[in-house]
Amino acid sequence: MSGKQFKGHEVSCCIKYFIFGFNIIFWLLGVAFLGIGLWAWNEKGVLSNISSITDLGGFDPVWLFLVTGGVMFILGFAGCIGALRENTFLLKFFSVFLGIIFFLELTAGVLAFTFKDWIKDQLNFFINNNIRAYRDDIDLQNLIDFTQEYWDCCGAFGADDWNLNIYFNCTDTNPSREKCGVPFSCCTKDPAEDVINTQCGYDVRAKTDVEQKTYIHVKGCVPQFERWLQDNLTVVAGIFIGVALLQIFGICLAQNLVSDIEAVRASCLFT
């Protein structure tokens, strides 16, 4: 040998530990989300009776925590361990999984823009289906109340959608005290009241349409959501673009790290 030392490829420590640091935070958040979801199910007795998962007629908000937490856990684990151990399989899995999520988000965005009326119908069906199950699950009840309070709305397209619920419908056979009423989250708020009046919606739909406007929000949540989306389109678009750029950035970093690792291993074979 001439005494000259061969200098091969090196794995970038900056990329390696950046991916590791970012994904360990992502992984811990995933664990937290999963923990919250499992704790909520345990409190409702679902874990002791798994078959009760299908008993709820509406949407169980706990699924948001479990699915989001599961995806974050898997992505975080693959990215974190893959970068730390320089495991190309896990890093490629991380890139492909992130790419699939990006593709699904892009597809959902295009479909939502192309089939607006179909999306509106599905949203109407989703809300009405959950109105039927309003009293069946406390988490679903809180979600509906939050939605109606945040967007100053009532029902999917109006307060009469609450006829779908057995406790609030106006039929003569309904023995409920909430008959012909709406949940308190539909009520207009009085700034002078410090305590929420949970009975403010009682019998309100027995009044005339003009009188109802004094006590409750008469606009539905679907048109209110559309209005909110139009008013905040720039912010929403900015968030989606930001998330998309982060995903593309993450895929590129992971692929760059894989290339470095494979180049180092290849160079070792020839030295």
Side-chain angles (χ1 to χ4, degrees), residues 4-108:
K4 292 183 179 180
Q5 190 174 7
F6 176 79
K7 186 177 180 180
H9 288 85
E10 293 181 355
V11 176
S12 173
C13 290
C14 291
I15 295 177
K16 175 179 176 178
Y17 288 108
F18 180 83
I19 293 176
F20 169 76
F22 180 80
N23 279 283
I24 198 169
I25 295 173
F26 210 62
W27 179 73
L28 290 173
L29 286 173
V31 171
F33 272 66
L34 284 173
I36 292 170
L38 292 174
W39 171 80
W41 265 4
N42 182 62
E43 288 294 303
K44 293 193 288 188
V46 174
L47 295 182
S48 58
N49 183 19
I50 299 297
S51 61
S52 63
I53 293 176
T54 58
D55 292 344
L56 180 61
F59 172 72
D60 188 350
V62 175
W63 280 111
L64 288 174
F65 287 93
L66 292 175
V67 173
T68 304
V71 171
M72 292 175 70
F73 179 87
I74 294 170
L75 267 178
F77 177 83
C80 177
I81 303 301
L84 185 65
R85 304 297 298 173
E86 297 182 6
N87 187 307
T88 55
F89 173 78
L90 287 177
L91 288 171
K92 288 178 180 178
F93 173 80
F94 172 81
S95 298
V96 171
F97 198 3
L98 202 56
I100 291 172
I101 293 173
F102 173 75
F103 176 75
L104 291 175
E105 290 171 350
L106 185 63
T107 304

Side-chain angles (χ1 to χ4, degrees), residues 21 25 31 78-79 112 127 151 157 199:
I25 295 173
V31 171
I127 294 174
W151 278 315
F157 281 95
Q199 299 180 357

